[in-house]
Amino acid sequence: MEEQIFLARVAEQAERFEDMVNFLEQAINAKSGEDFTIDERNLLSVGFKNLIGSQRGAIRTIGAIEQNPKYQKFGDALSKYKKQIEKELYDQCMKIVNIVKSKCLGLAADNESKAFFHKMIGDYYRYVAESASESTLEEVKNGALEGYKQADILSKELNACNPIRLGLALNFSVFYYEVMNDHKRACELGEIALTEALEKIDDVDEETFRDAKSIIELLKENLSLWKEEEADNAVEDL
């Protein structure tokens, strides 16, 4: 397993993210029943997020170009190209969800680890839902909602400043705002998490404080944007 983790880090530095995920999958397979360390969980986060980063960015870029009247004559070609990338994103995200469901959740021993992986399931369904076609939208919306709800239940036992609990609140609220179009619920989730975290922030250690502070700032930014109804502003997530 040590070798696969080392190669995953090398692949990350080489920006070979598909290789990185393959090495990480081999590392998961080599585990002998023990839970993931925080370092291993972080490595999975980096690998999975980078694997689909280029597709998410490309879909946003093409979407912006589609809005430009100057390129209207290329509308059909742009739409076809975007659908191709959306299919790539769907396939990669479903691959990640399947790895997490079939290989990671069974090894998660405590509520923090279980919440981490259920949140991850919610996140990768949400990434597809951001640009899903009608034929897959309900499937991925429901998948995201189920993942986030399970993570929410498990995270209640964690400190309000725990980065997993805070990160969940951030991403779950973005899901309600952008995918479910439930702006009221998005603001409620964000405000509750923010209030609870600020009540506990003085009681946590330095590392937790540093991690929590960055997520608190993102929550504040999103709530500010949502309340001003600045629909043109992109919201922040993890």
Side-chain angles (χ1 to χ4, degrees):
M1 182 178 170
E2 186 181 356
E3 182 178 288
Q4 285 93 352
I5 292 290
F6 169 74
L7 288 171
R9 293 190 188 281
V10 171
E12 179 189 1
Q13 289 181 34
E15 297 186 2
R16 298 271 299 177
F17 298 117
E18 197 155 347
D19 293 344
M20 184 183 180
V21 170
N22 289 336
F23 287 131
L24 288 171
E25 195 172 2
Q26 290 170 28
I28 295 166
N29 292 336
K31 287 180 82 70
S32 51
E34 74 280 9
D35 199 351
F36 295 85
T37 65
I38 292 173
D39 192 43
E40 287 168 351
R41 291 201 310 246
N42 290 341
L43 203 57
L44 287 171
S45 282
V46 170
F48 291 160
K49 193 75 179 282
N50 280 314
L51 182 66
I52 54 107
S54 65
Q55 283 99 344
R56 287 182 80 202
I59 290 165
R60 287 193 190 111
T61 299
I62 295 167
I65 293 168
E66 281 180 317
Q67 302 305 311
N68 191 328
K70 193 164 64 172
Y71 303 118
Q72 213 165 28
K73 63 180 178 181
F74 302 117
D76 289 344
L78 279 169
S79 177
K80 184 179 177 184
Y81 185 37
K82 191 167 77 167
K83 279 186 171 62
Q84 175 191 322
I85 300 169
E86 286 169 350
K87 175 68 166 60
E88 288 176 16
L89 178 67
Y90 177 87
D91 290 344
Q92 296 284 29
C93 285
M94 291 306 99
K95 175 184 176 180
I96 291 164
V97 166
N98 288 333
I99 290 172
V100 174
K101 283 183 174 180
S102 64
K103 298 179 179 180
C104 299
L105 272 175
L107 296 170
D110 60 26
N111 281 353
E112 181 176 272
S113 191
K114 288 174 184 175
F116 173 88
F117 286 114
H118 279 292
K119 172 187 171 293
M120 187 174 269
I121 290 168
D123 285 340
Y124 284 86
Y125 274 120
R126 174 170 66 87
Y127 298 149
V128 178
E130 288 172 345
S131 59
S133 61
E134 281 187 28
S135 59
T136 58
L137 184 58
E138 281 308 305
E139 171 206 346
V140 293
K141 269 169 62 173
N142 290 335
L145 190 59
E146 180 62 26
Y148 284 140
K149 280 184 173 178
Q150 286 295 322
D152 190 46
I153 293 165
L154 291 159
S155 72
K156 292 301 183 196
E157 292 184 22
L158 306 177
N159 186 291
C161 290
N162 179 288
I164 293 170
R165 178 170 167 172
L166 267 179
L168 169 65
L170 175 70
N171 289 9
F172 201 3
S173 62
V174 169
F175 169 74
Y176 268 110
Y177 193 89
E178 292 197 332
V179 177
M180 301 298 282
N181 204 28
D182 187 343
H183 296 183
K184 185 182 175 186
R185 183 65 181 135
C187 289
E188 284 172 356
L189 271 175
E191 284 171 344
I192 290 167
L194 190 58
T195 301
E196 290 176 346
L198 290 173
E199 285 174 359
K200 299 285 187 182
I201 196 73
D202 293 330
D203 303 331
V204 299
D205 60 62
E206 191 177 337
E207 186 179 354
T208 303
F209 176 85
R210 192 169 55 247
D211 291 340
K213 192 168 181 295
S214 63
I215 302 171
I216 285 169
E217 289 307 313
L218 294 176
L219 275 168
K220 284 180 177 177
E221 286 174 26
N222 281 356
L223 286 167
S224 176
L225 288 175
W226 295 341
K227 285 175 180 178
E228 292 168 14
E229 295 183 347
E230 293 179 2
D232 293 334
N233 285 286
V235 295
E236 301 285 350
D237 73 338
L238 287 178

